[in-house]
Amino acid sequence: MIEEIPVELMITDIRMPEISGLALVSQIREKRIQRQPSVIFVSGHAQFEYAQEALRLSVMDYLLKPVGREKLIASVEGALKAGEEKDHLVFMRKTADPQLMAIRDEEAVLCESVRQAMHYVETHIEEAISLQEVAGHVHLNGSYFSSLFKEQCQMNFSEYVTRRKLQKAKELLMKTSLPIAEIAIRSGYQRVKYFNKLFKEYEGMSPGRYRAMRNGMEVLVQ
């Protein structure tokens, strides 16, 4: 069933007829199935070897019988939340701009002015954003701010804004069924023709084709 139907969460005993829970999960982990489920083990045996093997199999929780209702619900909620976070990371890897990710990884060492500027871009992503406007917001001379941003982020501020807006567009293309024109506006571009041109320049394809290809990939990996 798991080979044919995506399963988010599996709760299984360890000692069972024909196959143990440990062997079951081990076989699932080895298969290239549509979706690897989060797993909760339930057992009447507090054996160290069982717990050790459960850790190796990346099991979310190991509950000893008798399992109370509240404890089981808490375990299920934790497992589902962890699964959502994993799905989000997979999604981000598929859509993320490598250069933006590199900047994010180094964010801790950026100066406060640059971090403030990046936050300003995030909160005004649907607007037209100019260098002078952001430089004024962080109380720096435009020319100095431009040099500082390029030195710390290894790209011009205008390119950063463009990449961040297109990242927003890619997320909307993947997560929603909004028309391309609406996505352009929500990404800060009033002219759809210019948005399409810019998107194709950076992504090598039109927004519509990107959505179709990525949605096709979603079907394959889920």
Side-chain angles (χ1 to χ4, degrees), residues 1-17:
M1 288 173 62
I2 287 176
E3 286 181 318
E4 297 173 358
I5 304 169
V7 172
E8 289 188 52
L9 174 64
M10 181 173 73
I11 303 173
T12 178
D13 207 331
I14 288 186
R15 289 191 175 180
M16 301 184 293

Side-chain angles (χ1 to χ4, degrees), residues 20-37:
S20 73
L22 293 168
L24 172 63
V25 176
S26 180
Q27 288 183 26
I28 291 171
R29 295 295 189 241
E30 290 172 2
K31 291 182 179 293
R32 294 175 60 87
I33 61 175
Q34 290 179 313
R35 181 191 183 97
Q36 283 288 340

Side-chain angles (χ1 to χ4, degrees), residues 105-124:
D105 289 343
E106 298 296 326
E107 190 170 345
V109 300
L110 300 177
C111 72
E112 182 62 22
S113 294
V114 170
R115 287 203 298 270
Q116 286 181 15
M118 291 167 64
H119 178 70
Y120 185 91
V121 172
E122 293 295 317
T123 55
H124 295 76

Side-chain angles (χ1 to χ4, degrees), residues 61-73:
D61 210 346
Y62 188 109
L63 304 177
L64 288 175
K65 298 176 183 177
V67 181
R69 185 171 182 270
E70 289 186 4
K71 190 171 185 179
L72 178 60
I73 289 173

Side-chain angles (χ1 to χ4, degrees), residues 138-160:
V138 298
H139 310 293
L140 292 177
N141 170 273
S143 178
Y144 176 73
F145 170 71
S146 177
S147 299
L148 177 66
F149 192 93
K150 185 173 183 180
E151 176 187 336
Q152 296 216 335
C153 299
Q154 308 303 308
M155 73 172 68
N156 294 326
F157 177 72
S158 59
E159 183 181 356
Y160 174 81

